[in-house]
Amino acid sequence: MGVVIRSADRPGDLGWIVQAHGELYAREVGWDTSFERLVAGIVGELDPARDAVWIAELDGRRVGCVACMACMAGSDGEAVLRILLVHPDGRGHGIGGRLVDTCVDHAREQGFKRLRLWTTNWQEAAREVYLRRGFTLVDEQPQRRFGAEVVGQTYRLDLAG
């Protein structure tokens, strides 16, 4: 069966996204429930008329996700890559790269000029995926988030180039 990237349009998909983020980040980096609440808020803001969300499956099991969210008025043609996650059961199969590629392709097809994302210095594997696809670091700020000291990082990708 292998890896399938599909729209997150099945019952349980959105709940899985929130649960997987909460459990995985608590277990792997010790973040508190404020991170799960952040993800729940993002999922709650998703507008099917404007945003796109994908689930990665490996042999029929959910193992990853990503969203491409359109910015509101005044964004000057920028979309936002959000909630990228690859569960440990799916790592080593190129799923993170495929999810990011799906998001980038969608943003281009929708006519966005740029794609932005926010992450932290703790997501080393994801950062490598972003850099290999041409994202550049445009800002970083030390901050206390999710019960930990992190360096918040903003990356951008010019979709016209």
Side-chain angles (χ1 to χ4, degrees):
M1 202 171 194
V3 176
V4 173
I5 307 293
R6 62 168 179 81
S7 292
D9 56 4
R10 297 182 188 162
D13 284 347
L14 300 179
W16 179 87
I17 290 169
V18 174
Q19 180 178 359
H21 274 83
E23 291 176 349
L24 184 66
Y25 280 88
R27 182 173 59 246
E28 291 192 346
V29 296
W31 286 359
D32 65 23
T33 58
S34 67
F35 180 66
E36 187 173 359
R37 284 193 303 276
L38 172 75
V39 174
I42 292 166
V43 168
E45 292 173 4
L46 291 167
D47 179 349
R50 159 188 104 217
D51 305 321
V53 188
W54 298 272
I55 291 285
E57 292 182 338
L58 177 63
D59 298 329
R61 292 183 341 269
R62 294 179 189 103
V63 293
C65 59
V66 72
C68 183
M69 298 180 75
C71 288
M72 300 310 286
S75 68
D76 193 29
E78 190 170 71
V80 185
L81 184 153
R82 309 233 30 206
I83 57 177
L84 175 68
L85 176 126
V86 179
H87 190 274
D89 294 346
R91 293 179 185 158
H93 297 274
I95 291 170
R98 286 186 57 188
L99 285 165
V100 171
D101 291 343
T102 298
C103 186
V104 168
D105 291 346
H106 173 80
R108 277 196 176 107
E109 290 166 8
Q110 296 301 307
F112 289 102
K113 296 176 186 172
R114 286 175 309 286
L115 189 58
R116 173 177 44 93
L117 66 92
W118 183 88
T119 188
T120 75
N121 59 312
W122 294 39
Q123 282 70 48
E124 294 175 23
R127 184 173 53 249
E128 290 305 313
V129 169
Y130 303 140
L131 292 172
R132 283 195 301 271
R133 280 149 181 84
F135 282 86
T136 57
L137 179 66
V138 296
D139 185 49
E140 59 182 349
Q141 301 286 328
Q143 47 197 253
R144 181 149 184 85
R145 306 259 328 243
F146 322 124
E149 297 298 323
V150 302
V151 177
Q153 299 176 322
T154 302
Y155 288 82
R156 279 204 174 87
L157 175 66
D158 179 3
L159 298 173

